[in-house]
Amino acid sequence: MREPMIPVTVIVPNYNSGAYLSESIESINSGQWPAEILIIDDCSTDDSLELAMKLQHKYSNIRLVKKEVREGAAEARRLGIIHATQNWISCIDADDRLEVDALKEAYENVIISGSDICIFELWRFDEKKIWKHDANPKDFPKTGTEAVLLTFGGWQIHPLGVARKSLYEKAYHGFAEKSLCADELITRLVFSFAIKVVGCSKKYFYRSNLLSTTRILNSHRLSSLRCHLWLFKFAQSYKEAPLGKMVRGSIGEAWFYWTQQKRIGTFATLNALRSFLAEIYSINGLLRMLLQSPKHLVALIFLSMAVWTQEKLMKNIGNWHE
């Protein structure tokens, strides 16, 4: 006889993950089942939607929710939060997997410790190897503020585990950013509303997927510049936030996009960089932060001049053709 289900809703955003979805669901339902698994299909074009329907018939705790417009993983999770029937949430990618009874241990830990979030031990894997991720903090418990600070300037913590549904509801309330990195911003908001964060020994296996939408170089990647600016504004309320490092990181990414504009698309790159530059110059103390790294200051000045020059040149060419 099966044990009572864990009172957790697992949200699985799915976009063209047909090669991995079954494996992911099987791992979630290994050991004691969660009360609910919501597969949120984000307008898949492969066979994963058909596969999700089969999994729904196979497992009584699965519900399939189909989106009508593709908006990315963060918006798929937002829909999952709306449909979730449980007060505890776990977000798992459709190409990742869990160790047996990982959900059970994480849920028991949040209840016993009176915490808001319990994160798994994070491991990465590909077709050849498996290794422990760097984003595994020590010395739990941590406050929500401490967790947020560990996300600035490089991920030293991750959000994958079991969390109160109310944290996600607060995070998504009024959140309008729909860029490719929106889920990373939601993570910061979720941590910011938490009081106590703990960890557990069970593993979350994160697939190192070279075909992930966050790795493919195209015009959608440019939206990460908006995320940098959003995050910088958010971080200003934290006294210990490494603002200089964050600004330099955003300039480094802008520089990378400039060098890759032929692959991304010149017009799209110029538009994104123009918007980015217009906002970054409004940051208080920008010069002081960049004086600590002259190469980033030079890069910013060069980018500004190069974008202005290239736009002027393209405009003149357009007038000439007319």
Side-chain angles (χ1 to χ4, degrees), residues 200-300:
C200 72
S201 62
K202 290 292 186 177
K203 298 179 179 63
Y204 181 109
F205 298 100
Y206 174 83
R207 186 181 300 272
S208 185
N209 187 354
L210 295 178
L211 298 179
S212 168
T213 54
T214 58
R215 293 192 179 191
I216 298 173
L217 191 60
N218 55 33
S219 60
H220 296 295
R221 280 277 298 275
L222 294 167
S223 65
S224 68
L225 294 176
R226 297 204 311 271
C227 286
H228 278 290
L229 295 167
W230 185 102
L231 186 57
F232 188 86
K233 292 176 183 177
F234 173 76
Q236 287 178 315
S237 62
Y238 292 84
K239 293 181 180 179
E240 298 177 51
L243 299 180
K245 183 178 181 180
M246 295 170 71
V247 165
R248 295 191 292 272
S250 68
I251 293 172
E253 189 152 331
W255 178 268
F256 170 75
Y257 290 144
W258 169 259
T259 65
Q260 300 298 315
Q261 60 180 287
K262 289 184 178 179
R263 294 175 61 190
I264 298 171
T266 299
F267 284 105
T269 303
L270 287 175
N271 286 334
L273 288 174
R274 188 195 319 112
S275 298
F276 170 77
L277 291 169
E279 288 202 44
I280 199 169
Y281 277 113
S282 67
I283 293 175
N284 291 329
L286 178 66
L287 179 60
R288 173 177 47 80
M289 287 185 276
L290 292 182
L291 285 176
Q292 299 175 29
S293 178
K295 69 176 183 179
H296 287 90
L297 177 58
V298 171
L300 180 61

Side-chain angles (χ1 to χ4, degrees), residues 49-64:
L49 179 57
E50 181 182 352
L51 180 57
M53 295 173 69
K54 291 179 180 178
L55 289 167
Q56 183 178 224
H57 287 296
K58 180 178 180 180
Y59 293 107
S60 61
N61 64 337
I62 291 180
R63 280 199 293 144
L64 172 62

Side-chain angles (χ1 to χ4, degrees), residues 37 43 78 138 178 201 216 232 242 275 295 304 317 320:
I37 301 174
C43 302
R78 184 200 295 267
K138 299 177 181 179
K178 294 188 178 182
S201 62
I216 298 173
F232 188 86
S275 298
K295 69 176 183 179
S304 303
I317 291 173
W320 181 79

